[in-house]
Amino acid sequence: MIVEMRRGTTKEEIDGVVQRAKSLGLGVQLNVGTDKAVVAILGSNTGQLSTDIFAVLSGVESVIRIMKPYKLASREFKAEDSLVSINGIEIGGKRIVVMAGPCAVESEEQLMEAAKVVKGAGASVLRGGAFKPRTSPFSFQGLKKAGLELLARVREEFGMPVVTEVVDSHDVNLISKHADILQVGSRNMQNFALLTNIGKSKCPVVLKRGFSCTITEWLSAADYLLAEGNNKVILCERGIRTFADSTRFSLDISSIPVIKRFSHLPIIVDPSHAAGHYSLVPAIAKGAVAAGADGLLIEVHPNPKEALVDGPQSLTPSDFTRLMEELRSIAKSVGRYI
Amino acid sequence: MIVEMRRGTTKEEIDGVVQRAKSLGLGVQLNVGTDKAVVAILGSNTGQLSTDIFAVLSGVESVIRIMKPYKLASREFKAEDSLVSINGIEIGGKRIVVMAGPCAVESEEQLMEAAKVVKGAGASVLRGGAFKPRTSPFSFQGLKKAGLELLARVREEFGMPVVTEVVDSHDVNLISKHADILQVGSRNMQNFALLTNIGKSKCPVVLKRGFSCTITEWLSAADYLLAEGNNKVILCERGIRTFADSTRFSLDISSIPVIKRFSHLPIIVDPSHAAGHYSLVPAIAKGAVAAGADGLLIEVHPNPKEALVDGPQSLTPSDFTRLMEELRSIAKSVGRYI
Amino acid sequence: MIVEMRRGTTKEEIDGVVQRAKSLGLGVQLNVGTDKAVVAILGSNTGQLSTDIFAVLSGVESVIRIMKPYKLASREFKAEDSLVSINGIEIGGKRIVVMAGPCAVESEEQLMEAAKVVKGAGASVLRGGAFKPRTSPFSFQGLKKAGLELLARVREEFGMPVVTEVVDSHDVNLISKHADILQVGSRNMQNFALLTNIGKSKCPVVLKRGFSCTITEWLSAADYLLAEGNNKVILCERGIRTFADSTRFSLDISSIPVIKRFSHLPIIVDPSHAAGHYSLVPAIAKGAVAAGADGLLIEVHPNPKEALVDGPQSLTPSDFTRLMEELRSIAKSVGRYI
Amino acid sequence: MIVEMRRGTTKEEIDGVVQRAKSLGLGVQLNVGTDKAVVAILGSNTGQLSTDIFAVLSGVESVIRIMKPYKLASREFKAEDSLVSINGIEIGGKRIVVMAGPCAVESEEQLMEAAKVVKGAGASVLRGGAFKPRTSPFSFQGLKKAGLELLARVREEFGMPVVTEVVDSHDVNLISKHADILQVGSRNMQNFALLTNIGKSKCPVVLKRGFSCTITEWLSAADYLLAEGNNKVILCERGIRTFADSTRFSLDISSIPVIKRFSHLPIIVDPSHAAGHYSLVPAIAKGAVAAGADGLLIEVHPNPKEALVDGPQSLTPSDFTRLMEELRSIAKSVGRYI
């Protein structure tokens, strides 16, 4: 249930609602905005309670049931768009935030070169994987701790925030020390132990859509993060698994307006993993910005042919620079900038 | 096999290749451009022939095997983009062509009103279904012949070309008398008897992608049209069937750059059938234009709430007018216009 | 709406219901069983009518609305299982009916040999395609009329009913003269012009499931046949298109109990097209019989390596003979026989 | 690469191969059977090595490259079927092993009642979830540790092995103390940190197929377990996500023969999660046994209407007892028993 308080409600009235909920053994999450406050009442048995229990309390404007399984990620709980701020870069506002870099951190030289290129072309955040979840145990699994240290060094050198993937719930602390944004990969979107730990860390997080998960499941996964009090959640559409065989995954462009309709969270798009081939990345990236994405996550490698992971889908520095020019023009046409 | 002739080849040399092919019982299709000529050698047993048979002939530059099942729709057969011209409107060029109107023709009043609105907002072609292929035999099947006559009357009145669906291979002649462009619906993409008859008619045709067909199957279906000598083929992406349940179908935005890479045919996008809900149509339409679509096919109804078919996905006149403004801005940002 | 008449209702009372429906512009379909009669009231606007209109009529037991789009194929319209009888072979009863033979008719020798093998092993019906709907126009399209004549000759010789595919709505008459059962292929499941013509022919028909159609769409397609008064409809599950890449299609085994629950029509299974590889056919065929299928449609070729179409998925004569033995054992374990 | 040793090879010769591999920085896994030995050479760069490096060594019969990403789960590495033995119950042999019980452990009374019923009907293993991975954080998450203790108590009382799910890589030790078989759920099939820890535990494990994972990805996930030396791996097909909407998931019956062809691991089937409705469970279960499954994992609840989780898909005790009778008959018809 979502309890909407009257404008000008007092702290005591809000407390009254919270106490009533707690007395019934229910959880509570607050969204106190500048002109009104909303209380989400959480708990699996909410369905059996009457809304009257809260409607009669002082200061309550209305009480609505949410039939969707997700609550905290919903527009009902928070009507205005959420902005996630990372070192002064705001995601979810007028600016389209581009995160770019190699799939995997391979060496200091590679990462420095990549950072130079993507920063020069206008990207705001550097991406790079230190822990790589690979389909086979016999594939390259990333540089791990050494990779994290390289990321931290490059972040220092270039003054760029860094995003990197976390694959084990017990690595959250370690990785959040070296990176500014944690990334939950598609295969871990429903790894609830991992989500809970990242929720507790309060670290900004990019939550990639599971490649076969519905939008309801995705927003419910976001609820695992939000329920722990971490509201720095950025959604990332990266393509879904379908019968189509011309691309690695099918980018679900419609997820952008669907998310904007049902959720307050910002959404970025990863065209590289969806496409699986560099030649298709620019068109998808441009489509995503025009459709309303708040940012992009793009693979760029100084030398794609020698990449240890995902070379075929990485842009070269010059391709990326050209794409950024085109994206600026499209961003402007929809009233935004990069 | 694709036989590429030398620049400045003579008609006799081309004939030599054609005769050699015919003597082997093979079919032939010619693409004679301004500076070079290409001969496609067709026939199920091509795989067993040596390329030398043609390579030794006079005037032949090179002979390549095409392993893809489609030949005539491929870039190998025709490197430059195809333009389809309808009453002076060119599809596949700098102009983004918008086809708009109601899903089904319901009455003269409805169709006139729709035509007025869409023309006023800048659409170039009027869409409207007279024969409706419905999932259940007990649903409204369209006004049929009466609907065609209404389309012809409105076309006259507004000087706008008209596109309408054909569902039975034996209606091709009738419909091509009343309409400027035939539409093959998603459920008929592999109705090869229908494709063959439309191919013979030489009438411009919008070939919608089967909602579960791969791009290879789609281009092979185009080959059925092209093989009969009809090269006025416009592809239309309209969403594929996936597990995703927030939209009626999942628009495969990547199909735009994939088609541009492998085929010379123009591609337009139908955001209405993919979305299934009007609120999602604008974002998808904008994404499609930025990603490189050559046009759009959009459902607009003077009064969506009273539509007999597909009301929930139809735009109102004012929504459509606003969308056209936004599309103009995006078209400009990618070097095109509406 | 479904109007159920009282036991012992008179012809006049049934007529009363029929006349009332017609006076409202609605269609009607009757199911008069030995102990009770049911009238289906058909028409797109049924939803706006009150059930009282019929409930008050003489002889009416109950009136129920069917929210599903399909009516005539539903259990509500006909509670008991339908049996389809072909030359004394009953499909939908205790006997599991096996239809087997080559994908395409290639020559008299091939067809005679195949018929001998499949009859010898216990199959009841010979399958063989004369008109082949192929993805590419440059692939072998079948022997067409010559193939039909071969089928008719073999049918004569072996006294076996024959099933063959029809791909053009205007070939229905021709083909029904040469074959005992018409087959609607997966790509034509929603070719409504074809379905309507087959419905009118009253010829027994195998309706394959569209490879991306839901069960609701499948039963609605069956309604196109039933609405024309053809109740000799046999459904055939042949695999759906999914992301899975180890088989050509994914056989939807659950469709068997789902169909048995919601429809009275018999259902057979085609393991060959689903599997795409002969080595997987026996396991799927056995699973289908145990799960309740009323029959099987299996590709058998005297010499699969030389087959013009679908060789990799065809069983050899000896594989087929062995499979039939195993199937007999499973049929017995579920109280049926072959 | 797979190095197959000659019959009668010596320990020294095997060591020679192992040492050569290690000297190149490669991993190694041994399969020493009664009449021959096989060495798998592991490492991401294997592709660049010549097979000659091993072919010339003493005692080597042949060296083959495996192009598939999975190695240890493949038939090439181990030709004969693997048997997994749990307290004397062998999975993968002639006996069809049925694991049954409630989705979630709810109370001692419920679990005792369920155990009595399923044991009485002939099930060999009791299933029950203590840790439940739920889509929403606000749904019932299981009794956790208290649930484990109940499982351990019931196992004691009935002398039945117990299978239960593990969702956090750091709970492996705890859970393996209370249960005989660990279960990796569909959402965690690619949680590689979890797989690695279970691999190290050497505890028998049921690895459910990710609902959108290919068979190649599934066997690669098994390789994560096998690579740690845990060869008590049981695969479980539980349905894949498709467009079909009559069932919760589409059971991929073909995965049974595909796994039997490409892998030596036993495979069981969970018809309950695939179906999503109890009425469909028996048909799918029977189909699975006829198609070659080595066992079943079935949800049974003493009182499905009051189940906290997955009530609609749980069988009642009497339904389960009836199904077991039918399964015995089918098992016998394919030369097996329950």
Side-chain angles (χ1 to χ4, degrees), chain B residues 42-44 69 71-72 133-141 167-170 187-188 190-193 211-214 217 220-221 223-224 227 241, chain C residues 42-44 69 71-72 133-141 167-170 187-188 190-193 211-214 217 220-221 223-224 227 241:
Chain B
L42 310 170
S44 58
K71 317 286 180 200
L72 307 177
R134 302 301 300 280
T135 300
S136 160
F138 313 123
S139 300
F140 173 61
Q141 308 271 321
V167 297
D168 187 325
S169 58
H170 294 73
R187 284 162 188 77
N188 278 310
Q190 294 192 314
N191 179 339
F192 303 122
F211 57 69
S212 279
C213 291
T214 63
E217 289 167 340
S220 298
D223 262 13
Y224 270 91
R241 188 159 268 183
Chain C
L42 310 170
S44 59
K71 317 285 181 202
L72 307 178
R134 303 301 300 278
T135 300
S136 160
F138 313 123
S139 300
F140 173 60
Q141 309 273 320
V167 296
D168 187 325
S169 57
H170 293 73
R187 285 161 188 77
N188 278 312
Q190 294 193 313
N191 180 340
F192 303 121
F211 58 68
S212 280
C213 290
T214 63
E217 290 167 341
S220 298
D223 262 13
Y224 270 91
R241 188 159 267 183

Side-chain angles (χ1 to χ4, degrees), chain B residues 62-82:
Chain B
S62 69
V63 184
I64 51 170
R65 270 184 213 286
I66 304 196
M67 293 332 257
K68 298 165 193 155
Y70 55 89
K71 317 286 180 200
L72 307 177
S74 73
R75 281 271 178 211
E76 282 91 345
F77 178 58
K78 186 157 179 286
E80 68 277 16
D81 289 348
S82 283

